[in-house]
Amino acid sequence: MSAKITINFTVNGEAETREVDPSRMLLKFIREDLQLTGTKEGCEVGECGACMVLLDGKPVNSCLVPVAELDGKELITIEGLAKDGKLDPVQQAFIDHAATQCGYCTPGMIISARALLNRNPFPTDDDINEALSGNLCRCGAYKEIRQAVKDCAGK
Ligand code: FES
Ligand code: FES
């Protein structure tokens, strides 16, 4: 355990200041300190994408990022995508396409898809495959997931 430091950041649009052990991983901080449990714990070694969040708009595996790196940044978790009581179009498309089975990979998949659509609103199949290549689905719902993302073009 390292000496605590103070970090300032925003999470899902809200400004926060916290004292943290800088060596702690962002995934643990999100789930245990911020109590945002939509971000899932999977492999914890950067292989599955279950822990994906947006840090300054970029998708990152939060299991690999020390919480100290959150200082001065904007964090968006799956809980922050819905706006004014309305689901993000990607969330809605996953429901419409039944693109979840157990749902464990779903938050990470949706975060990766949202990041893709933000930087490239009309992705090709190859773009979608590449953007989701770091997200594993143990239920094998890849076909429905990719179709859901494809249907979000321009949204
Ligand atoms: S839990 Fe982070 S990549 Fe698997
Ligand atoms: S829906 Fe079960 S892991 Fe993807």
Side-chain angles (χ1 to χ4, degrees):
M1 177 144 162
S2 320
K4 293 212 166 177
I5 60 165
T6 302
I7 57 169
N8 298 293
F9 57 99
T10 65
V11 52
N12 299 332
E14 300 285 323
E16 287 269 2
T17 299
R18 297 282 178 124
E19 296 255 299
V20 296
D21 170 351
S23 63
R24 194 147 183 254
M25 286 298 147
L26 181 60
L27 172 61
K28 299 284 185 197
F29 177 75
I30 290 170
R31 288 181 54 84
E32 295 170 10
D33 295 33
L34 300 180
Q35 294 277 298
L36 294 171
T37 54
T39 303
K40 298 303 178 204
E41 258 172 330
C43 64
E44 296 189 60
V45 291
E47 299 282 342
C48 74
C51 64
M52 198 76 76
V53 295
L54 297 178
L55 206 52
D56 279 353
K58 296 203 181 72
V60 298
N61 285 319
S62 59
C63 68
L64 296 182
V65 178
V67 70
E69 290 189 24
L70 181 55
D71 191 33
K73 297 210 168 77
E74 176 191 59
L75 170 66
I76 306 280
T77 68
I78 190 70
E79 289 89 346
L81 289 191
K83 295 271 169 342
D84 302 322
K86 197 160 173 258
L87 291 177
D88 184 275
V90 183
Q91 293 174 305
Q92 189 59 54
F94 269 59
I95 294 170
D96 295 344
H97 286 273
T100 67
Q101 290 185 35
C102 78
Y104 206 82
C105 71
T106 308
M109 287 281 187
I110 290 175
I111 289 284
S112 290
R114 183 71 268 159
L116 167 66
L117 291 157
N118 286 350
R119 66 177 184 269
N120 175 5
F122 295 95
T124 63
D125 287 351
D126 285 348
D127 294 334
I128 293 171
N129 285 339
E130 191 186 330
L132 299 185
S133 62
N135 293 86
L136 303 183
C137 175
R138 63 189 173 189
C139 301
Y142 293 109
K143 188 164 149 267
E144 293 81 3
I145 289 167
R146 280 155 174 67
Q147 193 57 51
V149 177
K150 205 172 156 107
D151 279 7
C152 288
K155 297 183 192 165

